[in-house]
Amino acid sequence: MIHGIINVYKEKGYTSHDVVARMRGIVKQKRIGHTGTLDPDAQGVLPVCLGNATRLCDMLTDKDKTYRAVLLLGVSTDTQDTTGAVIRESPVTFSEEQVRSAVMGFEGEYDQIPPMYSALKVNGRKLYELAREGIQVERKARRVMIHEIRIEKIELPRVEMTVSCSKGTYIRTLCSDIGDELGCGGCMESLLRTRVGRFKAEDGLTLTEIEKLVSLGELEKHIVPVDAMFDGCPAVYVSDGYRKLIDNGNQFPLNALDGSLAGLMDGHVRVYNSEGCFYGIYNYKKDAGVFSPVKMFLAKG
């Protein structure tokens, strides 16, 4: 079984679920998960976790993301993008400077109401399922952070922009909200996710490319090991006499370490056995001299 993360470049026409299903067929293993839904018409970075790396899915979903989007002003749709039914059209009579001011006004924190056409659940049902049945439900606004908006090009009624944002941000909704701020409405015409944490679109592999790498026996070269996702944490090595403790995911004392780690501070560490096999992330408390498990990743197959 393969354990690690692969940077998939999701092409248009695939759902994130489709990518996972195809990957299961390509690498011949079931234990696979993705790290954040991309709409079928969107493309770009979709990190896919394999084997014990699936325990990372929630952590990668929480990472900041960067998108390249085209906002179409003067058109409002029920899905907030151009795939939906048009519900309003208005003339776009603003100057570029007025548009620029409205767009840049969304930098920073703001309360965003998730769209009906989303995978969020209400009473156990996904919002998009309810929307397709013509059912509208009240959604609570969620605080999101727009770290940066860089306007790449304005050719009204279109605005091309790069957006860096926190988890849970809907770029479709941002486009719609900018249009509402101007008073003419707006929707998203295209979307490319260019970055998720350390993963970038230019390094991504399409499903066809991954299939070819598997046939050549070269896929492993493109798998990011689980421990590489925590390379900011110090590495510690547990001596063989205490190996049973980490085999069972238990706490272990400072004297269990192979070698001295003078100056080790409170916080998360990467734990390995004496042979260099990665076990997981532990939290070290200097006062107690104890390492406690946070998340275990030991591969068992």
Side-chain angles (χ1 to χ4, degrees), residues 185-197:
C187 65
M188 186 183 75
E189 188 171 60
S190 67
L191 184 69
L192 168 66
R193 187 153 69 190
T194 60
R195 183 184 63 86
V196 176

Side-chain angles (χ1 to χ4, degrees), residues 236 245 250-257 264-269 271 282-294:
V236 300
L245 290 177
N250 293 329
Q251 287 185 341
F252 61 86
L254 185 61
N255 61 8
L257 297 185
L264 186 64
M265 306 297 289
D266 284 1
H268 289 176
V269 297
V271 172
Y282 275 65
N283 191 51
Y284 174 57
K285 290 292 186 184
K286 188 174 182 179
D287 289 347
V290 170
F291 296 82
S292 302
V294 174

Side-chain angles (χ1 to χ4, degrees), residues 75-89 117 187:
V75 179
S76 298
T77 72
D78 59 354
T79 60
Q80 300 180 335
D81 63 18
T82 52
T83 67
V86 175
I87 54 180
R88 179 166 72 101
E89 291 188 81
Y117 282 87
C187 65

